[in-house]
Amino acid sequence: MGKVTVVGIGPGSLMDMTERARRAIDEAEVLVGYHTYIELIEPLIKGREVIGTGMRQEVERCRAAVEAALTKSVVVVSSGDAGVYGMAGLVLELLLNIDKSQRPAFEVISGVSAVNAAASVLGAPLMHDFAVISLSDLLTPWELITKRVELAAQADFVIALYNPKSHKRIENIREVQEIVLKYRSKNTPVGIVTGASRSNETKVITTLEKFTEESINMFSLVIIGNSTTYVKEGYMLTPRGYKDLGVIE
C-alpha cells in the first residue's frame, strides 16, 4: 500500500518552502501537480515520475494521484498552502470514497499561503481579524461570493481577495469595490501584490476608491484594510490596539 501526501510548496520561491515539504518531495516516487507548480519545483524533481495537467483538470490530476498512491509514494503539490484553495480537499474526498482496507495513507503538509506572503510584502495589514474570499465563480455562485463580501465589509474585517480578476471576470472586482465602499471610507488603504515571492513580484498600495485602476490579475492578491488600517512610510498597517493600552505612544 502506498501513500499520498498533499504538499503546500509556498507562494513561489523555493526559499519559502518548509523543510518538511521539501523532505516529502525528496522522498516521493511520483510528483503530481498543475504544470506551472511543477515548474516551480523543477530543481527538486531529480528524474522522478511526474504527472502534470493543465488548468481546470484538477479532478483528473487528483484521481491519477490517488490511483498511483495505491502502490507508490505520491506527492501532490499545491502552491501556497494545500488546504487553502488547494488540492488537499479534493484528494481527501476521493480517498474517503475508497474502502478503508484498500485506502492509501494520507497526509497534508502545510505551506506559506499567498495571503501571508502578500501581507509580508505590504507590511502588517493582517494584524487583526480578517476574511479571505476567492472571487472565482467557477465553483461558487457569484451571488454567494458577493454576500460574503458584503457581510465581511459590514463586520469591518480586513478582506483578502484571491483570484481577484481574470480575462473573463473584468467587472466583478468593481462590484466588490462598490459593495465595500458602502461601509468604508474611499480612502481606506488597499494593497495589491502580484507574484508574491516570485522573481516578478510587484507591490502597490492605493485606496479603496482607486484600486481597480491598477493592474490586477489572477496572480494578484488584494488586501482591503479595515476602518483602522493606515499607511505610513510605504507600509500598510492594521493596528492590534496596543496604543490603546498605552504600550506605545
Side-chain angles (χ1 to χ4, degrees), residues 79-200:
S79 67
D81 181 274
V84 180
Y85 305 123
M87 292 295 98
L90 181 52
V91 171
L92 184 55
E93 284 184 88
L94 293 171
L95 281 174
L96 292 176
N97 285 327
I98 299 174
D99 186 89
K100 282 186 178 181
S101 64
Q102 318 223 342
R103 188 183 300 162
F106 173 71
E107 183 180 13
V108 178
I109 296 178
S110 62
V112 177
S113 177
V115 69
N116 302 120
S120 69
V121 173
L122 295 168
L126 303 182
M127 289 303 298
H128 220 303
D129 299 336
F130 64 95
V132 177
I133 302 173
S134 170
L135 298 192
S136 173
D137 57 359
L138 291 175
L139 301 174
T140 306
W142 181 243
E143 294 76 15
L144 179 55
I145 293 172
T146 54
K147 179 179 180 180
R148 289 171 175 168
V149 171
E150 179 112 28
L151 293 173
Q154 188 174 1
D156 201 29
F157 283 107
V158 174
I159 303 173
L161 302 175
Y162 276 72
N163 307 310
K165 189 176 181 181
S166 69
H167 294 302
K168 293 182 179 180
R169 289 184 289 101
I170 298 173
E171 295 300 322
N172 293 22
I173 189 72
R174 292 192 179 94
E175 186 174 344
V176 167
Q177 179 188 39
E178 291 172 3
I179 292 170
V180 181
L181 277 168
K182 292 193 296 183
Y183 304 96
R184 296 190 196 169
S185 163
K186 65 182 182 181
N187 294 318
T188 300
V190 175
I192 304 166
V193 179
T194 301
S197 96
R198 302 184 187 184
S199 59
N200 60 345

Side-chain angles (χ1 to χ4, degrees), residues 3-4 28-39 41-42 45 47-55 57-78 87 91:
K3 179 180 180 178
V4 58
E29 297 174 85
V30 182
L31 300 175
V32 181
Y34 173 46
H35 290 310
T36 300
Y37 303 153
I38 292 293
E39 290 173 6
I41 61 166
E42 185 71 33
I45 292 177
R48 260 85 57 80
E49 180 184 349
V50 174
I51 300 174
T53 63
M55 185 69 75
Q57 294 181 301
E58 293 87 353
V59 176
E60 294 89 337
R61 185 160 68 239
C62 290
R63 279 182 177 152
V66 169
E67 183 177 347
L70 294 174
T71 57
K72 299 177 182 178
S73 61
V74 177
V75 160
V76 178
V77 295
S78 280
M87 292 295 98
V91 171

